[in-house]
Protein backbone atom coordinates (compact mmCIF):
# COMPACT_ATOMS: atom_id res chain seq x y z
CA UNK A 1 0.00 0.00 0.00
CA UNK A 2 1.49 3.37 -0.99
CA UNK A 3 0.71 6.99 -0.29
CA UNK A 4 2.92 8.69 -2.86
CA UNK A 5 6.45 7.51 -2.11
CA UNK A 6 5.53 6.19 1.34
CA UNK A 7 5.15 2.42 1.55
CA UNK A 8 2.74 1.32 4.28
CA UNK A 9 2.05 -2.24 5.41
CA UNK A 10 -1.70 -1.60 5.09
CA UNK A 11 -4.17 1.14 4.22
CA UNK A 12 -5.52 1.96 7.69
CA UNK A 13 -3.98 4.44 10.13
CA UNK A 14 -5.00 6.33 13.21
CA UNK A 15 -6.21 9.90 12.69
CA UNK A 16 -4.14 12.64 14.27
CA UNK A 17 -5.32 13.81 17.67
CA UNK A 18 -7.50 10.83 18.44
CA UNK A 19 -5.00 8.50 20.07
CA UNK A 20 -2.65 10.80 21.90
CA UNK A 21 1.01 11.45 21.17
CA UNK A 22 2.29 7.91 21.61
CA UNK A 23 1.36 4.29 22.28
CA UNK A 24 -2.05 4.86 23.92
CA UNK A 25 -3.82 2.38 21.57
CA UNK A 26 -1.10 -0.23 22.05
CA UNK A 27 -3.13 -1.78 24.88
CA UNK A 28 -5.79 -2.80 22.33
CA UNK A 29 -3.86 -4.08 19.31
CA UNK A 30 -0.37 -4.46 17.93
CA UNK A 31 0.63 -1.01 16.73
CA UNK A 32 3.00 -2.53 14.17
CA UNK A 33 0.04 -4.21 12.44
CA UNK A 34 -1.57 -1.00 11.18
CA UNK A 35 -0.50 1.32 8.40
CA UNK A 36 0.75 4.06 10.71
CA UNK A 37 0.21 5.79 14.00
CA UNK A 38 -0.41 9.45 13.19
CA UNK A 39 0.31 11.41 16.35
CA UNK A 40 -1.36 14.56 17.60
CA UNK A 41 -0.19 17.79 15.97
CA UNK A 42 2.79 19.38 17.67
CA UNK A 43 4.66 22.62 17.61
CA UNK A 44 8.16 23.28 18.89
CA UNK A 45 7.10 24.64 22.27
CA UNK A 46 4.52 23.37 24.75
CA UNK A 47 1.00 24.68 24.24
CA UNK A 48 -1.67 24.60 26.94
CA UNK A 49 -4.75 24.15 24.76
CA UNK A 50 -8.28 25.36 25.42
CA UNK A 51 -10.39 25.46 28.62
CA UNK A 52 -12.50 22.42 29.61
CA UNK A 53 -14.86 20.97 28.67
CA UNK A 54 -13.02 20.07 25.50
CA UNK A 55 -15.15 17.27 24.08
CA UNK A 56 -18.88 16.71 23.92
CA UNK A 57 -20.91 13.90 22.32
CA UNK A 58 -23.38 14.78 19.55
CA UNK A 59 -25.72 12.72 17.39
CA UNK A 60 -23.46 10.77 15.06
CA UNK A 61 -20.19 11.80 16.58
CA UNK A 62 -18.60 14.39 18.81
CA UNK A 63 -17.39 17.92 18.92
CA UNK A 64 -14.01 18.97 20.33
CA UNK A 65 -12.09 22.02 21.23
CA UNK A 66 -8.88 20.52 22.55
CA UNK A 67 -6.94 23.50 21.25
CA UNK A 68 -3.74 21.79 20.12
CA UNK A 69 -2.52 20.91 23.58
CA UNK A 70 0.92 19.37 23.66
CA UNK A 71 4.28 19.32 25.38
CA UNK A 72 6.27 20.29 22.30
CA UNK A 73 8.43 18.39 19.85
CA UNK A 74 11.53 17.90 22.03
CA UNK A 75 9.40 16.35 24.76
CA UNK A 76 7.67 14.08 22.23
CA UNK A 77 10.98 12.90 20.86
CA UNK A 78 12.25 12.20 24.35
CA UNK A 79 9.16 10.78 26.05
CA UNK A 80 6.76 9.38 23.43
CA UNK A 81 8.59 8.44 20.23
CA UNK A 82 10.90 5.82 21.80
CA UNK A 83 7.91 3.73 22.94
CA UNK A 84 6.35 3.97 19.48
CA UNK A 85 9.64 2.79 18.01
CA UNK A 86 9.89 -0.07 20.51
CA UNK A 87 6.36 -1.12 19.57
CA UNK A 88 7.47 -1.36 15.93
CA UNK A 89 4.99 1.30 14.85
CA UNK A 90 5.27 3.14 11.59
CA UNK A 91 4.92 6.77 12.64
CA UNK A 92 3.56 9.86 10.92
CA UNK A 93 4.38 13.06 12.81
CA UNK A 94 1.98 15.99 12.63
CA UNK A 95 2.92 19.64 12.99
CA UNK A 96 1.12 22.93 13.43
CA UNK A 97 2.02 26.56 13.94
CA UNK A 98 0.42 29.94 14.46
CA UNK A 99 2.35 31.37 11.54
CA UNK A 100 4.69 30.28 8.75
CA UNK A 101 7.79 30.70 10.92
CA UNK A 102 6.40 28.36 13.60
CA UNK A 103 5.58 25.69 10.99
CA UNK A 104 9.11 26.04 9.60
CA UNK A 105 10.59 25.66 13.08
CA UNK A 106 8.49 22.56 13.75
CA UNK A 107 9.64 21.04 10.46
CA UNK A 108 13.29 21.75 11.32
CA UNK A 109 12.85 20.16 14.74
CA UNK A 110 11.90 16.88 13.00
CA UNK A 111 14.62 17.00 10.34
CA UNK A 112 16.94 14.36 11.84
CA UNK A 113 14.36 11.73 12.82
CA UNK A 114 14.82 8.03 12.19
CA UNK A 115 13.42 6.07 9.28
CA UNK A 116 10.40 4.83 11.23
CA UNK A 117 8.88 8.32 10.96
CA UNK A 118 7.80 7.95 7.36
CA UNK A 119 5.95 11.21 6.72
CA UNK A 120 4.95 14.51 8.27
CA UNK A 121 1.34 15.57 8.18
CA UNK A 122 1.20 19.36 8.06
CA UNK A 123 -2.00 20.33 9.85
CA UNK A 124 -3.34 23.39 8.05
CA UNK A 125 -6.90 22.95 9.22
CA UNK A 126 -7.34 22.89 13.00
CA UNK A 127 -10.61 24.70 13.75
CA UNK A 128 -9.63 25.38 17.35
CA UNK A 129 -7.09 28.15 17.14
CA UNK A 130 -8.78 31.55 17.43
CA UNK A 131 -12.05 29.79 16.58
CA UNK A 132 -10.77 28.94 13.12
CA UNK A 133 -10.32 32.57 12.19
CA UNK A 134 -6.92 31.96 10.60
CA UNK A 135 -7.31 28.59 8.95
CA UNK A 136 -4.45 28.23 6.48
CA UNK A 137 -6.41 25.54 4.63
CA UNK A 138 -9.06 28.05 3.61
CA UNK A 139 -6.62 29.99 1.46
CA UNK A 140 -4.52 28.45 -1.33
CA UNK A 141 -1.78 31.08 -1.07
CA UNK A 142 -1.39 30.79 2.72
CA UNK A 143 -1.54 26.99 2.60
CA UNK A 144 1.12 26.82 -0.13
CA UNK A 145 3.36 29.20 1.81
CA UNK A 146 3.32 26.87 4.83
CA UNK A 147 4.06 23.81 2.72
CA UNK A 148 6.95 25.56 0.99
CA UNK A 149 8.36 26.47 4.43
CA UNK A 150 8.30 22.93 5.84
CA UNK A 151 10.64 21.12 3.43
CA UNK A 152 13.35 20.89 6.08
CA UNK A 153 11.49 18.06 7.83
CA UNK A 154 13.21 15.94 5.19
CA UNK A 155 10.36 13.52 4.55
CA UNK A 156 7.18 13.41 2.47
CA UNK A 157 4.60 15.94 3.62
CA UNK A 158 0.87 15.34 3.69
CA UNK A 159 -1.17 18.53 3.86
CA UNK A 160 -4.21 18.12 6.10
CA UNK A 161 -7.02 20.20 4.64
CA UNK A 162 -10.49 21.39 5.56
CA UNK A 163 -13.90 20.83 4.00
CA UNK A 164 -15.11 24.07 5.52
CA UNK A 165 -14.23 25.87 2.31
CA UNK A 166 -15.53 25.65 -1.24
CA UNK A 167 -11.91 26.11 -2.35
CA UNK A 168 -10.62 22.71 -1.28
CA UNK A 169 -9.71 21.60 -4.81
CA UNK A 170 -7.87 24.88 -5.36
CA UNK A 171 -6.09 24.51 -2.00
CA UNK A 172 -5.16 20.89 -2.78
CA UNK A 173 -3.65 21.94 -6.12
CA UNK A 174 -1.73 24.76 -4.44
CA UNK A 175 -0.19 22.61 -1.71
CA UNK A 176 0.75 19.92 -4.23
CA UNK A 177 2.47 22.55 -6.35
CA UNK A 178 4.27 23.82 -3.21
CA UNK A 179 5.68 20.38 -2.36
CA UNK A 180 3.06 18.35 -0.51
CA UNK A 181 3.23 14.76 -1.70
CA UNK A 182 -0.33 13.98 -0.57
CA UNK A 183 -3.36 15.58 0.98
CA UNK A 184 -5.22 14.33 4.04
CA UNK A 185 -8.95 15.00 3.63
CA UNK A 186 -10.62 16.13 5.93
CA UNK A 187 -10.21 17.69 9.37
CA UNK A 188 -13.22 18.28 11.61
CA UNK A 189 -15.97 20.65 10.49
CA UNK A 190 -16.55 23.86 12.41
CA UNK A 191 -19.50 23.51 14.75
CA UNK A 192 -21.10 24.47 18.03
CA UNK A 193 -23.39 22.90 20.62
CA UNK A 194 -25.44 25.06 22.98
CA UNK A 195 -26.55 24.10 26.47
CA UNK A 196 -30.15 25.29 26.28
CA UNK A 197 -30.67 25.24 30.04
CA UNK A 198 -27.80 27.64 30.62
CA UNK A 199 -27.98 29.45 27.25
CA UNK A 200 -24.24 28.99 26.71
CA UNK A 201 -22.04 27.02 24.33
CA UNK A 202 -21.14 23.71 25.97
CA UNK A 203 -17.46 23.69 25.12
CA UNK A 204 -15.03 25.70 27.21
CA UNK A 205 -13.97 27.57 24.09
CA UNK A 206 -17.33 29.39 24.25
CA UNK A 207 -18.04 31.52 21.20
CA UNK A 208 -15.14 29.91 19.33
CA UNK A 209 -17.03 26.61 19.03
CA UNK A 210 -15.26 23.41 18.04
CA UNK A 211 -14.69 20.73 15.42
CA UNK A 212 -17.36 18.18 14.55
CA UNK A 213 -16.22 14.63 13.79
CA UNK A 214 -17.61 11.12 13.47
CA UNK A 215 -20.29 9.48 11.33
CA UNK A 216 -22.14 12.78 10.96
CA UNK A 217 -19.37 14.16 8.69
CA UNK A 218 -18.63 11.00 6.71
CA UNK A 219 -20.58 11.95 3.56
CA UNK A 220 -18.90 15.36 3.55
CA UNK A 221 -15.48 13.73 3.73
CA UNK A 222 -16.35 11.23 0.99
CA UNK A 223 -17.58 14.03 -1.26
CA UNK A 224 -14.43 16.05 -0.65
CA UNK A 225 -12.19 13.09 -1.49
CA UNK A 226 -14.30 12.39 -4.58
CA UNK A 227 -14.05 15.98 -5.81
CA UNK A 228 -10.31 16.29 -5.22
CA UNK A 229 -9.60 12.96 -6.89
CA UNK A 230 -11.75 13.92 -9.88
CA UNK A 231 -9.93 17.23 -10.31
CA UNK A 232 -6.42 16.03 -9.42
CA UNK A 233 -6.28 12.30 -10.21
CA UNK A 234 -2.51 12.09 -9.76
CA UNK A 235 -2.52 13.46 -6.22
CA UNK A 236 -2.36 10.83 -3.47
CA UNK A 237 -5.13 11.18 -0.88
CA UNK A 238 -5.48 9.99 2.70
CA UNK A 239 -9.21 9.87 3.46
CA UNK A 240 -10.49 10.63 6.96
CA UNK A 241 -13.85 11.59 8.38
CA UNK A 242 -16.37 9.42 10.16
CA UNK A 243 -15.04 6.02 9.14
CA UNK A 244 -16.26 3.55 11.75
CA UNK A 245 -16.42 0.29 9.87
CA UNK A 246 -15.14 -1.54 6.82
CA UNK A 247 -17.87 -0.20 4.56
CA UNK A 248 -16.92 3.38 5.41
CA UNK A 249 -13.29 2.70 4.54
CA UNK A 250 -14.27 1.04 1.26
CA UNK A 251 -16.43 4.03 0.39
CA UNK A 252 -13.58 6.42 1.07
CA UNK A 253 -11.20 4.45 -1.12
CA UNK A 254 -13.75 4.15 -3.91
CA UNK A 255 -14.07 7.94 -3.77
CA UNK A 256 -10.34 8.20 -4.45
CA UNK A 257 -8.35 7.68 -1.24
CA UNK A 258 -5.13 5.64 -1.30
CA UNK A 259 -5.38 5.04 2.44
CA UNK A 260 -7.65 5.97 5.33
CA UNK A 261 -7.46 7.19 8.90
CA UNK A 262 -9.81 6.40 11.76
CA UNK A 263 -10.29 8.72 14.71
CA UNK A 264 -13.59 9.32 16.45
CA UNK A 265 -14.64 5.65 16.19
CA UNK A 266 -11.65 4.73 18.37
CA UNK A 267 -13.18 6.56 21.34
CA UNK A 268 -16.10 4.12 21.41
CA UNK A 269 -14.16 1.09 20.16
CA UNK A 270 -10.39 1.39 20.62
CA UNK A 271 -9.80 -1.57 18.30
CA UNK A 272 -11.53 0.15 15.36
CA UNK A 273 -8.34 0.72 13.35
CA UNK A 274 -7.35 -2.92 13.71
CA UNK A 275 -10.89 -4.15 12.94
CA UNK A 276 -11.17 -2.10 9.75
CA UNK A 277 -7.71 -3.22 8.62
CA UNK A 278 -8.79 -6.86 8.89
CA UNK A 279 -12.23 -6.05 7.46
CA UNK A 280 -10.82 -4.41 4.34
CA UNK A 281 -8.77 -7.48 3.49
CA UNK A 282 -11.80 -9.76 3.96
CA UNK A 283 -14.05 -7.43 1.98
CA UNK A 284 -11.70 -7.54 -0.99
CA UNK A 285 -11.03 -11.26 -0.61
CA UNK A 286 -14.74 -12.12 -0.66
CA UNK A 287 -15.25 -10.13 -3.84
CA UNK A 288 -12.23 -11.36 -5.76
CA UNK A 289 -10.49 -7.99 -5.56
CA UNK A 290 -6.79 -8.79 -5.62
CA UNK A 291 -5.54 -5.96 -3.41
CA UNK A 292 -7.04 -3.29 -1.16
CA UNK A 293 -5.35 -0.62 -3.28
CA UNK A 294 -7.48 -1.71 -6.25
CA UNK A 295 -10.46 -0.05 -4.53
CA UNK A 296 -9.03 3.41 -5.18
CA UNK A 297 -11.23 5.56 -7.35
CA UNK A 298 -13.69 2.80 -8.34
CA UNK A 299 -16.69 5.10 -7.85
CA UNK A 300 -15.44 7.32 -10.66
CA UNK A 301 -16.49 4.84 -13.32
O1 LIG B 1 -6.43 20.14 19.05
C1 LIG B 1 -7.52 20.38 18.52
O2 LIG B 1 -8.39 21.05 19.06
C2 LIG B 1 -7.83 19.88 17.16
C3 LIG B 1 -6.94 19.83 16.10
BR1 LIG B 1 -5.14 20.20 16.27
C4 LIG B 1 -7.39 19.46 14.81
O3 LIG B 1 -6.68 19.44 13.81
N1 LIG B 1 -8.71 19.16 14.68
C5 LIG B 1 -9.55 19.21 15.71
O4 LIG B 1 -10.74 18.92 15.54
N2 LIG B 1 -9.11 19.54 16.96
Amino acid sequence: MRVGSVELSCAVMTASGTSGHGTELGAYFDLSSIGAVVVKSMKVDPWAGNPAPRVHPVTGGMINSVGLQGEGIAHWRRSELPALESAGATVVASIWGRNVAEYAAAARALGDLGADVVAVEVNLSCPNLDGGAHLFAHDPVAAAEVIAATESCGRPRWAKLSANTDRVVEVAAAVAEAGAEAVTLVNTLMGMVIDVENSTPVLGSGAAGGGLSGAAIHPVAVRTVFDVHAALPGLPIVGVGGIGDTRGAVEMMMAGADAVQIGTASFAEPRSVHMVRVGLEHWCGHRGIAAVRDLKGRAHG
Side-chain angles (χ1 to χ4, degrees):
M1 178 56 54
R2 301 180 76 83
V3 176
S5 68
V6 178
E7 189 77 44
L8 299 173
S9 65
C10 77
V12 190
M13 307 171 234
T14 65
S16 177
T18 60
S19 63
H21 291 95
T23 54
E24 286 85 342
L25 286 181
Y28 301 95
F29 57 86
D30 176 3
L31 294 179
S32 72
S33 71
I34 64 169
V37 175
V38 185
V39 298
K40 181 160 178 63
S41 301
M42 304 173 285
K43 72 198 278 282
V44 171
D45 305 311
W47 187 252
N50 288 342
R54 289 173 162 179
V55 293
H56 187 80
V58 302
T59 305
M62 62 183 250
I63 189 164
N64 87 84
S65 180
V66 173
L68 299 127
Q69 185 197 332
E71 297 296 326
I73 290 176
H75 178 272
W76 177 72
R77 293 186 60 161
R78 208 171 43 243
S79 305
E80 306 278 4
L81 182 58
L84 281 166
E85 290 172 332
S86 300
T90 298
V91 180
V92 174
S94 172
I95 57 173
W96 72 280
R98 288 171 296 176
N99 50 50
V100 174
E102 286 191 355
Y103 277 101
R108 275 197 304 277
L110 296 174
D112 59 342
L113 284 173
D116 47 345
V117 181
V118 295
V120 171
E121 198 169 77
V122 183
N123 186 357
L124 300 168
S125 49
C126 176
N128 294 328
L129 190 67
D130 304 331
H134 308 294
L135 266 165
F136 289 90
H138 287 184
D139 177 359
V141 174
E145 211 185 326
V146 171
I147 294 301
T150 52
E151 194 178 0
S152 62
C153 70
R155 44 206 17 91
R157 282 159 293 154
W158 302 349
K160 188 160 182 181
L161 303 185
S162 168
N164 263 127
T165 170
D166 61 355
R167 305 177 77 185
V168 64
V169 168
E170 210 185 319
V171 174
V175 294
E177 174 71 24
E181 194 173 283
V183 288
T184 303
L185 305 171
V186 296
N187 210 315
T188 54
L189 299 181
M190 292 165 78
M192 180 179 281
V193 175
I194 291 175
D195 178 340
V196 295
E197 299 302 335
N198 293 320
S199 311
T200 54
V202 299
L203 292 173
S205 53
L212 178 67
S213 62
I217 74 163
H218 184 63
V220 177
V222 169
R223 169 70 184 266
T224 307
V225 169
F226 191 96
D227 287 353
V228 170
H229 183 60
L232 305 164
L235 180 62
I237 296 175
V238 179
V240 52
I243 298 173
D245 57 15
T246 300
R247 181 173 292 271
V250 170
E251 230 186 317
M252 196 66 98
M253 296 190 72
M254 287 183 166
D258 298 77
V260 299
Q261 296 175 349
I262 295 180
T264 301
S266 297
F267 288 85
E269 172 47 86
R271 292 171 303 155
S272 291
V273 177
H274 165 75
M275 288 160 67
V276 172
R277 175 186 75 76
V278 174
L280 265 182
E281 283 158 19
H282 287 169
W283 202 93
C284 291
H286 288 152
R287 288 163 179 81
I289 298 169
V292 171
R293 67 175 167 274
D294 296 338
L295 294 170
K296 178 178 163 87
R298 281 192 175 214
H300 290 260

